[in-house]
Amino acid sequence: MNMKTLTQRFVAVFGVLVVLGIMGGTLHAPAQAQQINPTAEAVTEDSLFEALRDDQMVAGRVSIPDELSSGLIKPGNASWADTHTSTVRILSILGVVGALVVLTGFYLIRGKIMVDSKLSGVRILRFTAVERFAHWLMAGSFIVLALTGLNLVLGRTMVLPWLGETAFSTISVWGKIAHNYVGWAFMLGLIMSFAVWISHNIPDKVDAEWVAKGGGLLKKGVHPPAKKFNAGQKVIFWSTTLGGAALSFTGFMMLFPALAGTQADWQFYQLIHGIVAAVLSFIIIAHIYIGSIGMEGAFDAMGTGEVDLNWAKEHHSLWVEEVQKGEAAQDGGPAKTPHPAE
Ligand code: HEM
């Protein structure tokens, strides 16, 4: 065998060995794969959570302006959610239940506030159609927002158990959509109410006497003078205006997180939104009570727009004088009697 043949045979044997080696490796591959435990090898969510500090996060990439939405895992959010949810939950329960307890106590002690001089049957225009439209737009939308907001905060613990999963998820999905859209109607009602009533809600010295006499609400037969709005109503007006503005601003920021700044800013807005909603709910429940079943003759002001003259004299004596003087000036004679009700 010459050298050339020897070399050719060596190359051939080597080639066969290489091919067999590759095939052997390939044939062994599944056996090796079976030994891999993907669950053990993979990074678990827990280990990611443990590896991150509260202010760090695992983020992806997004091409929309809302960069916050790229966040995938941020342990700080879990502790934030606990703080936020428990604070807002407690305040919401206190707001609603607290108001109901206070009002029940008030009703048991004072009873319904009646017109002491009895209804006269003579009516006087208190609120125009525009004023009533502004009020009901703001009031109706606030009630929808309050109920759907409460469902977001307390629904899972308080509504789900007695409604069941199917009904609860349906009302929650629609409730969330309503909450996002009805907010705009509330803002419009708020702006309109502010525009029509601001001039009557500047605090003045008459308010001090009204407050000193407890607004006449605590004792029968006490009727401190008041203009179109008394001090108590001014509190309602300013709470609604400022609270409503705060709710609108923070709600807007939550709807458009790209405008909200950092994530900490967004969380701050979320907390303020919940706290203001709870406090305003307390105030508004008290307002609804006095404006409906709590005081004889009050609802008419927002119903037909006309109230009984004796009701008006007892609760807004200076306003009645102003209206009658205005009418007298218009007629060029003494104050005319408002038209009797049919
Ligand atoms: C069913 C619910 C409600 C009823 C029955 C009701 C009733 C009334 C009545 C009768 C008045 C006129 C009082 C007067 O003649 O002096 C009034 C005024 C007013 N309401 Fe309401 N209201 C309701 C809901 C709301 C809500 C939800 C808000 C705010 C979000 C609101 C804000 C106001 C404001 C700012 C005024 C003017 C200031 C005042 O009178 O206190 N109301 N409401």
Side-chain angles (χ1 to χ4, degrees), residues 245-258:
L247 286 173
S248 306
F249 175 75
T250 51
F252 184 87
M253 287 303 178
M254 286 192 282
L255 274 180
F256 302 103

Side-chain angles (χ1 to χ4, degrees), residues 126-127 135 138-139 142 197 233 236 284 287-288 291 298 301-302:
R126 181 149 172 76
F127 292 117
H135 174 265
M138 175 173 68
F142 182 89
W197 288 334
Q233 289 176 298
I236 303 287
I284 292 300
H287 165 74
I288 292 175
M302 279 305 164

Side-chain angles (χ1 to χ4, degrees), residues 23-302:
M23 282 177 64
T26 316
L27 289 174
H28 280 286
Q32 276 174 7
Q34 275 164 10
Q35 285 161 14
I36 294 170
N37 177 351
T39 316
E41 297 292 317
V43 181
T44 64
E45 206 177 321
D46 281 351
S47 61
L48 274 177
F49 268 97
E50 278 158 21
L52 291 172
R53 288 197 318 265
D54 259 16
D55 58 335
Q56 293 178 317
M57 75 169 169
V58 177
R61 259 192 307 151
V62 287
S63 56
I64 56 172
D66 176 16
E67 281 178 18
L68 287 182
S69 65
S70 66
L72 295 170
I73 296 179
K74 187 175 180 196
N77 283 349
S79 45
W80 159 256
D82 286 347
T83 319
H84 167 261
T85 310
S86 47
T87 311
V88 174
R89 258 189 207 161
I90 292 168
L91 283 177
S92 304
I93 294 172
L94 280 178
V96 175
V97 179
L100 295 177
V101 169
V102 169
L103 291 172
T104 308
F106 180 73
Y107 178 77
L108 292 176
I109 296 167
R110 177 67 165 92
K112 182 169 179 164
I113 300 168
M114 305 300 283
V115 178
D116 290 329
S117 53
K118 301 280 173 257
L119 295 175
S120 66
V122 176
R123 320 276 300 166
I124 175 172
L125 181 69
R126 181 149 172 76
F127 292 117
T128 62
V130 173
E131 288 175 301
R132 281 177 283 139
F133 176 78
H135 174 265
W136 288 119
L137 183 62
M138 175 173 68
S141 50
F142 182 89
I143 291 168
V144 172
L145 291 168
L147 293 176
T148 51
L150 272 178
N151 186 50
L152 288 176
V153 179
L154 297 170
R156 270 207 329 176
T157 38
M158 297 199 167
V159 183
L160 174 64
W162 60 269
L163 262 195
E165 280 176 5
T166 314
F168 175 70
S169 64
T170 307
I171 64 151
S172 298
V173 167
W174 285 107
K176 179 73 184 80
I177 294 171
H179 200 86
N180 287 356
Y181 286 98
V182 173
W184 301 101
F186 175 71
M187 289 184 221
L188 181 62
L190 190 67
I191 293 168
M192 286 184 73
S193 305
F194 181 78
V196 291
W197 288 334
I198 174 69
S199 62
H200 299 288
N201 279 287
I202 310 299
D204 60 33
K205 52 184 189 311
V206 184
D207 298 327
E209 188 187 344
W210 191 91
V211 173
K213 292 189 174 162
L217 297 175
L218 306 174
K219 233 170 148 192
K220 241 180 145 182
V222 178
H223 301 295
K227 296 186 181 168
K228 179 156 178 168
F229 288 121
N230 59 41
Q233 289 176 298
K234 288 179 184 175
V235 170
I236 303 287
F237 173 83
W238 285 109
S239 307
T240 306
T241 301
L242 300 177
L247 286 173
S248 306
F249 175 75
T250 51
F252 184 87
M253 287 303 178
M254 286 192 282
L255 274 180
F256 302 103
L259 303 175
T262 65
Q263 192 176 23
D265 295 334
W266 194 94
Q267 290 173 334
F268 175 71
Y269 296 140
Q270 192 189 16
L271 183 65
I272 297 297
H273 196 81
I275 293 174
V276 174
V279 175
L280 198 56
S281 298
F282 179 95
I283 296 171
I284 292 300
I285 292 173
H287 165 74
I288 292 175
Y289 169 77
I290 288 289
S292 57
I293 53 172
M295 179 186 276
E296 183 184 19
F299 185 81
D300 295 349
M302 279 305 164

